[in-house]
Amino acid sequence: MKQKRFLLTEDRIPRQWYNIQADMPVKPLPMLNPSTGQPVKAEDLYPIFAEEACRQELDTEHRWFDIPEEVVEQYAYYRATPLVRAYGMEKELDTPAHIYFKNESVSPVGSHKLNSALAQAYYCKMEGVTNVTTETGAGQWGTALSYAARLFGLEAAVYQVRISYEQKPYRRSMMQVFGAQVTPSPSMSTRAGKDILTKSPHHQGSLGTAISEAVELARMTPGCKYTLGSVMNHVTLHQTVIGLEAEKQMELAGEYPDVVIACFGGGSNFGGISFPFMRHVFSGERKTRFVAAEPESCPKLTKGEFRYDFGDTAGYTPLMPMFSLGHEFTPANIHAGGLRYHGAGVIASQLLKDGYMEAADISQHDSFAAGCMFARCEGIIPAPESCHAIAATVKEALKCKESGESKVLLFNLSGHGLVDMSAYDQFLAGNI
Ligand SMILES: *Cc1c(COP(=O)(O)O)cnc(C)c1O
């Protein structure tokens, strides 16, 4: 029998992911095939994603999905992640609020992204796939996928947005250390890339160009599937391990969150920590508030429009009903690369429309100021993305100070910022 390595923590890891689609009072509208206008079926997505991921994507019936044993084994390397009471931060803010954070920065790659990368790589392996491909902006998702691919014996090809490839060399080297092939996008290796470069030879790349290239590679290469690190429902499903663990850990602490807060790029870490708690709001047992923190410069939740839109610039993806700034929107080149996406996931979009969650806009300056304060109090340097969640938490904590209420606040620390120190340098030099 295979020796189990992490007996001490294994029983704290959830054995199932939570599918909020089963409980939503109003189900999301269907994704549409842009050429026929018909709702997308799981089979339509099989050529692109692992088949199990496609089934999970569209499932509105099954509340729980078993986490494969092989994935639990990998989770056991870093899960359960710590739930920490931020006493230092409470003292610094002089607030009666109780502040907790879930520390996803302890994953081997430094962010929550590995929770879904492991699942997607596992399904690809089981389905006989040999190669996986994806896009990455700042590099967190690409790093997570490169490592997960290595663990399950798959080759990984990552298209990295050209400007990040040049400006964030360390994440590129991390992916290469894990054995991935990294190509700056746009590149001459795909039709889509060639078209873009012919039109604008000095194109700096965007998530849109990189998605188009990766999808094309997956379509054209036998045995190759595409994977995505955010936005899609199945990605958020995998991230619910965060909230399910937090729920048990809060119980151990003898508290229950009044407000759950996370930063929002496509919505996977927000959904991951929020959705398990939200099911108790649907059932009427709780009145928890959920706050998504987005950058002021990419405000799809507060200023976007709810409509059908494409997930990528080229228009290769299905049409998705979501809050969007328009698929041709190019966000400012802020340091929180993971939050530079024009749209919000389909589930979160519906929940925002129906009033189950709120959104807060955070300026880049406020995000780094909150990140530095947090680092000085708690000893962890947060990812620029996570700084947005911290800034939103600070706002809630200061409201408590004003009203004298000792609310329980829970935020997700989605990753650490140790590979983003040049951004902190710029902040400290007064250039942000
Ligand atoms: C990718 C990323 C995000 C944003 O993506 P979501 O899908 O919205 O969670 C946030 N934080 C970190 C550290 C990331 O790597």
Side-chain angles (χ1 to χ4, degrees):
M1 216 180 90
K2 202 169 164 193
Q3 191 74 28
K4 288 269 156 78
R5 247 170 309 195
F6 291 93
L7 287 173
L8 280 178
T9 57
E10 235 166 32
D11 63 350
R12 291 205 238 145
I13 302 171
R15 293 313 175 114
Q16 292 178 312
W17 293 301
Y18 171 59
N19 177 21
I20 195 173
Q21 297 194 79
D23 288 333
M24 287 170 71
V26 183
K27 308 270 186 212
L29 295 168
M31 284 193 270
L32 301 179
N33 179 327
S35 45
T36 63
Q38 291 301 306
V40 165
K41 294 192 290 291
E43 302 88 272
D44 301 333
L45 300 172
Y46 285 175
I48 301 176
F49 297 104
E51 295 185 6
E52 181 59 23
C54 302
R55 287 188 287 271
Q56 292 173 347
E57 184 65 28
L58 299 178
D59 193 307
T60 57
E61 280 168 35
H62 300 95
R63 185 169 291 133
W64 299 101
F65 279 92
D66 288 344
I67 307 177
E69 196 54 38
E70 290 81 352
V71 175
V72 174
E73 258 179 49
Q74 293 302 330
Y75 280 173
Y77 275 78
Y78 64 101
R79 312 207 68 88
T81 61
L83 178 86
V84 184
R85 172 93 181 256
Y87 285 111
M89 193 174 160
E90 289 174 19
K91 190 158 167 244
E92 175 67 24
L93 298 171
D94 189 25
T95 173
H98 293 189
I99 305 176
Y100 291 84
F101 66 92
K102 182 77 168 147
N103 186 0
E104 291 297 305
S105 82
V106 301
S107 96
V109 298
S111 79
H112 71 287
K113 294 270 178 13
L114 193 59
N115 299 330
S116 184
L118 289 168
Q120 294 188 52
Y122 169 76
Y123 290 132
C124 284
K125 185 68 184 177
M126 293 316 287
E127 292 170 19
V129 170
T130 55
N131 293 57
V132 284
T133 183
T134 195
E135 77 292 327
T136 197
Q140 284 117 327
W141 168 247
T143 307
L145 184 76
S146 302
Y147 176 54
R150 173 66 24 178
L151 286 175
F152 289 109
L154 302 163
E155 294 295 327
V158 181
Y159 288 94
Q160 184 171 19
V161 175
R162 183 175 292 277
I163 184 147
S164 312
Y165 182 91
E166 282 157 10
Q167 287 180 352
K168 306 218 174 198
Y170 291 139
R171 284 241 170 66
R172 176 196 20 91
S173 13
M174 286 166 78
M175 292 185 263
Q176 289 167 334
V177 165
F178 290 133
Q181 188 200 325
V182 187
T183 309
S185 171
S187 76
M188 295 299 280
S189 72
T190 62
R191 181 73 212 272
K194 273 184 208 157
D195 284 351
I196 295 162
L197 284 173
T198 314
K199 274 191 220 132
S200 31
H202 303 293
H203 201 292
Q204 295 198 317
S206 67
L207 279 174
T209 67
I211 295 177
S212 302
E213 290 203 87
V215 170
E216 183 182 319
L217 182 74
R219 279 207 176 128
M220 297 303 181
T221 317
C224 179
K225 290 280 172 106
Y226 171 66
T227 63
L228 199 53
S230 182
V231 186
M232 305 293 282
N233 301 339
H234 66 271
V235 180
T236 305
L237 172 78
H238 305 151
Q239 295 296 352
T240 58
V241 284
I242 304 172
L244 292 165
E245 280 176 13
E247 200 183 355
K248 281 198 197 159
Q249 291 167 316
M250 289 297 303
E251 208 176 302
L252 288 176
E255 302 224 66
Y256 196 90
D258 296 300
V259 191
V260 178
I261 301 157
C263 66
F264 197 104
S268 77
N269 93 91
F270 172 82
I273 193 159
S274 299
F275 293 173
F277 289 101
M278 207 180 278
R279 74 189 201 274
H280 305 299
V281 173
F282 294 153
S283 70
E285 295 159 78
R286 297 282 181 179
K287 292 204 159 53
T288 320
R289 286 173 52 219
F290 301 92
V291 179
E294 64 179 4
E296 219 171 41
S297 58
C298 191
K300 61 218 157 215
L301 299 174
T302 52
K303 312 250 160 45
E305 194 191 337
F306 184 84
R307 61 164 164 119
Y308 273 101
D309 197 7
F310 290 108
D312 68 325
T313 322
Y316 281 2
T317 68
L319 283 165
M320 299 191 282
M322 60 183 183
F323 276 92
S324 173
L325 294 163
H327 65 281
E328 280 166 347
F329 178 83
T330 310
N333 192 21
I334 55 168
H335 294 285
L339 308 184
R340 291 179 73 230
Y341 186 68
H342 66 274
V346 167
I347 294 175
S349 292
Q350 188 66 44
L351 293 169
L352 180 67
K353 191 161 174 274
D354 295 338
Y356 287 102
M357 57 178 273
E358 324 158 25
D361 282 358
I362 307 291
S363 76
Q364 182 158 241
H365 180 276
D366 288 358
S367 73
F368 278 107
C372 287
M373 181 275 297
F374 177 81
R376 287 165 192 171
C377 298
E378 306 295 332
I380 303 167
I381 296 178
E385 291 84 1
S386 315
C387 290
H388 291 73
I390 298 169
T393 305
V394 169
K395 284 191 186 174
E396 292 294 330
L398 293 179
K399 272 197 242 165
C400 289
K401 185 178 173 182
E402 242 168 63
S403 65
E405 285 173 291
S406 64
K407 286 193 180 155
V408 178
L409 313 178
L410 167 65
F411 76 87
N412 193 40
L413 184 74
S414 53
H416 68 63
L418 296 178
V419 196
D420 302 278
M421 293 317 293
S422 63
Y424 278 91
D425 277 347
Q426 287 184 34
F427 176 72
L428 294 173
N431 295 332
I432 288 180

